[in-house]
Amino acid sequence: MKTKKRKASKKTKRSWRKYIDIKDVDTFLDNNRLEERLGTPFSERIDTQLFTIDKTADVTENVISKRAARLALKNKEPKCFASLKSHTCVPDPISKRNQIRTKEERMNSTLRQHEVERKIKDILKLKEKEALKNRILAKVASTNPDSKEIEGDVWNSTNVLIPETITEWMSPNSIRHTLKHLGIKKRKLPLLCKKSSVLPAVEIPHPGTSYNPSYNDHQKLLHNIGQKELELMKQDEHLNRVTTQMFDKISLQKRDENIMKEMLEGLPENQTALSFKSVEEDHEEENSSTIIANDKSKKNIKKTRVQKRKQREQKQAINKRALMKIEKKKISDIYKLKTLQKQIEAKERKQEILRQKRMKKHERESLMPKTLSKTKFEPIDPDFQLAEELTGNLRNLKPSNNLLKERYKSLQQRNIIAPAVIKL
C-alpha cells in the first residue's frame, strides 16, 4: 500500500532535503557504478560471452606428468603481477589524450631533409664543434698516465724501504716513526665509532605482553615475574635476618648502663697509681737493655783465616750438594715422563675450563650496563597484565608503562647515558 505524500514547504535547502525522497536516484546510480566495475549486465551479453564450448579431450585419457606440470607452473604468470592489473571494467574517461611530439616530429619535412644532408656532408654548427672538441679533450685526459685513479687500498700501502722481516716485530707507531724520518708518511687508520653495547636499540617484547596473548605465553610471563618477586623477597628476608634480627631490643636506660660498664672495664680506682709506676719501671728496663746492646755492637771482632777458609769450604759444599740434587732430579724426571704428561694434560684441561668460564663471564658482562656514575642502574619494571585485566582488543587496552621512561632506561642500559635519579 503506497503511503500518501506529505505536503510541506520546500523553500530552503534543509526542508528540500528533508521532504524529498531520493532513494530511487541513489539506487540507480549505485547500479550504474556496479555495471561500470563488473561490465555490462548478463541480460545484455550475447551467448558467446557467457558460454564456451569445451573441445578438450577427457582428462583421464591425457594425464600430465609431474615434470610437465612443474614446467607449466614455472611458465605461468606469477600471482604478484595481479596487483599491477586493473580490477575493474570501468573504461578510461578520456579516450582521446594529447600526444607530445618530439623535436624531430615537430620539425618541417623540408627542414628535416636539409638537416640530414648537412650531417652527411659533415657541416657542423659552432655548438656541435665545441661539444666535439670537449669530448676529444676528455678522452685524452682519461688516457694520460699522470691523471690515473688511485688503485688499491691507500691505508694498507706497503713500503719498500723497510723489509717485511723487520716490520714483523715492530709496532705500528715505531713503523710510522721510522718512515717519517725516511721521507714517507704512513697514513694512520681513522678510529671508527664502536657501539657502546651489544644490546639492540629496541628489544623484542615477550609474547605474553600482547593485548591478546596465547595461554602458554601469558603463563610463562607470569611465572618469570613470580620467580623474580620470590628472589627479591628472599633477599629482603636475608638482609633482615643478618642485620635487624641479630641484635636484641633493649631500652635506652639499659643501653646507657652497658656503655658505661664497658668504658669502666679494667680501670679500678685503687690500682691506678700502681699501674703508672709499673709502666715507668718497664720503660726504664727497656732503655737499660738497649744501652747494653748498643755497647756490644760497638766491638768490631775480625774473623781469622781459618774461619774464612771454613766458611768458604762450607759454601762450596752447599753449592756442590745443590748441583748434585738438580742432576739427580733430571735423571729421575726421565722415568716420570708419563706422570708429567698426565700433569700437563690436567693443567691444560684446567686452563681450558677457566678460559671457558672467562668467556662466559665476558659474555654476561657485555649484556650488563657499565658503571658510569655513582648511581646504580635499576631496570624498569616488566610490563604484564593479569588474566582479569586482558581485554582482547586494542580499543579497551590501557597503557601501563611510560614510553619516554622506557626509552630513557634503554639508553642507560646501552651505556649511552649515565644512570641518574629520575626527578618527576
Side-chain angles (χ1 to χ4, degrees):
M1 183 178 179
K2 291 184 179 182
T3 58
K4 189 176 181 181
K5 289 185 179 181
R6 185 179 177 185
K7 291 182 180 182
S9 175
K10 304 182 187 65
K11 188 163 65 172
T12 60
K13 286 184 178 180
R14 183 179 178 183
S15 59
W16 182 273
R17 293 192 190 101
K18 186 175 180 181
Y19 298 112
I20 292 298
D21 188 13
I22 56 171
K23 288 183 180 179
D24 53 348
V25 180
D26 289 338
T27 52
F28 175 75
L29 293 175
D30 289 339
N31 292 332
N32 284 348
R33 294 190 196 100
L34 185 64
E35 288 178 4
E36 286 179 354
R37 291 198 302 272
L38 304 178
T40 57
F42 292 103
S43 59
E44 297 179 4
R45 296 183 188 181
I46 59 177
D47 294 342
T48 55
Q49 293 177 348
L50 296 173
F51 304 102
T52 55
I53 300 170
D54 188 10
K55 297 180 180 180
T56 58
D58 193 2
V59 181
T60 57
E61 295 178 0
N62 299 327
V63 179
I64 305 172
S65 63
K66 187 180 287 185
R67 184 177 180 183
R70 287 180 180 175
L71 186 61
L73 188 62
K74 187 178 180 181
N75 296 330
K76 190 180 177 181
E77 185 181 359
K79 291 183 179 180
C80 59
F81 291 164
S83 59
L84 303 175
K85 295 180 179 180
S86 61
H87 299 282
T88 179
C89 297
V90 179
D92 190 0
I94 304 172
S95 58
K96 293 182 180 180
R97 293 184 177 275
N98 296 331
Q99 185 178 2
I100 299 172
R101 296 184 297 171
T102 60
K103 187 178 179 181
E104 294 179 355
E105 290 176 353
R106 284 186 273 108
M107 195 181 293
N108 194 4
S109 60
T110 55
L111 186 60
R112 193 186 300 116
Q113 185 66 25
H114 179 68
E115 290 289 331
V116 172
E117 290 175 358
R118 185 175 62 79
K119 288 182 180 179
I120 291 169
K121 293 177 183 179
D122 292 335
I123 301 170
L124 301 175
K125 295 180 181 179
L126 180 61
K127 193 175 181 180
E128 292 175 352
K129 287 180 181 179
E130 289 180 356
L132 182 63
K133 184 181 177 180
N134 291 333
R135 282 197 295 271
I136 293 168
L137 290 173
K139 189 174 182 182
V140 171
S142 63
T143 56
N144 190 7
D146 297 333
S147 63
K148 280 188 176 180
E149 295 182 357
I150 298 171
E151 296 179 357
D153 193 357
V154 180
W155 306 108
N156 295 329
S157 59
T158 56
N159 54 319
V160 187
L161 297 175
I162 303 176
E164 294 183 358
T165 54
I166 299 174
T167 56
E168 285 180 356
W169 54 270
M170 292 175 70
S171 63
N173 291 329
S174 57
I175 293 170
R176 198 180 301 107
H177 175 77
T178 309
L179 292 174
K180 185 178 179 181
H181 289 280
L182 292 173
I184 301 170
K185 288 185 178 179
K186 185 174 175 63
R187 294 175 179 85
K188 191 175 180 180
L189 287 171
L191 295 173
L192 302 175
C193 295
K194 294 183 179 179
K195 291 184 71 176
S196 57
S197 177
V198 296
L199 294 172
V202 180
E203 295 182 359
I204 299 172
H206 194 276
T209 58
S210 174
Y211 67 93
N212 190 14
S214 63
Y215 178 77
N216 293 330
D217 294 338
H218 189 251
Q219 291 298 318
K220 287 179 182 177
L221 177 64
L222 295 178
H223 178 70
N224 295 336
I225 292 167
Q227 290 295 328
K228 290 180 181 179
E229 289 294 329
L230 288 174
E231 290 178 2
L232 293 174
M233 291 169 63
K234 189 176 179 181
Q235 188 176 2
D236 292 339
E237 290 176 358
H238 171 70
L239 292 174
N240 188 23
R241 186 175 64 255
V242 299
T243 55
T244 307
Q245 295 180 3
M246 280 182 67
F247 306 101
D248 296 332
K249 291 183 179 180
I250 57 175
S251 61
L252 295 174
Q253 185 178 1
K254 193 173 181 182
R255 186 193 65 179
D256 295 338
E257 291 176 359
N258 291 336
I259 291 171
M260 291 298 295
K261 189 177 180 181
E262 289 175 1
M263 297 293 289
L264 295 172
E265 189 71 29
L267 295 173
E269 295 179 358
N270 299 329
Q271 297 180 2
T272 52
L274 296 173
S275 62
F276 283 116
K277 289 181 181 179
S278 61
V279 170
E280 289 178 357
E281 291 175 358
D282 292 338
H283 281 296
E284 289 177 358
E285 290 178 358
E286 288 177 359
N287 293 331
S288 61
S289 62
T290 52
I291 291 166
I292 294 165
N294 291 331
D295 292 338
K296 288 182 179 179
S297 62
K298 288 179 181 178
K299 293 180 182 180
N300 188 8
I301 301 170
K302 293 183 179 180
K303 293 181 181 179
T304 60
R305 290 183 180 180
V306 177
Q307 289 176 344
K308 290 180 180 178
R309 180 174 54 78
K310 287 183 178 180
Q311 188 177 5
R312 188 168 57 251
E313 289 175 356
Q314 286 176 0
K315 287 182 179 179
Q316 290 177 358
I318 290 168
N319 293 334
K320 189 175 180 181
R321 283 197 299 272
L323 291 172
M324 289 175 65
K325 192 174 181 182
I326 291 169
E327 292 296 328
K328 285 181 180 180
K329 191 174 184 305
K330 288 179 181 179
I331 295 168
S332 62
D333 287 343
I334 296 171
Y335 299 101
K336 295 181 181 178
L337 288 176
K338 291 184 178 179
T339 56
L340 291 173
Q341 185 68 25
K342 289 180 180 178
Q343 291 176 2
I344 292 167
E345 290 177 356
K347 190 176 181 180
E348 288 178 353
R349 285 196 299 270
K350 187 177 179 180
Q351 289 177 352
E352 182 66 22
I353 292 168
L354 293 174
R355 190 177 68 84
Q356 294 290 339
K357 286 183 178 179
R358 285 195 297 271
M359 288 176 64
K360 290 179 180 178
K361 184 181 178 182
H362 180 69
E363 290 177 359
R364 288 196 305 270
E365 289 179 351
S366 63
L367 299 174
M368 296 171 65
K370 297 179 181 178
T371 306
L372 301 178
S373 66
K374 62 180 181 179
T375 306
K376 187 179 179 182
F377 172 74
E378 293 181 0
I380 194 169
D381 295 333
D383 184 14
F384 71 97
Q385 289 181 345
L386 298 175
E388 299 83 14
E389 298 175 355
L390 292 175
T391 57
N393 53 13
L394 288 171
R395 188 184 298 278
N396 299 327
L397 184 65
K398 294 180 181 179
S400 57
N401 285 342
N402 189 358
L403 184 61
L404 185 62
K405 185 178 179 181
E406 190 267 333
R407 287 291 86 207
Y408 185 69
K409 286 288 185 181
S410 177
L411 293 173
Q412 289 182 356
Q413 192 175 9
R414 288 182 284 132
N415 306 318
I416 298 172
I417 297 175
V421 179
I422 300 173
K423 296 181 179 179
L424 300 175

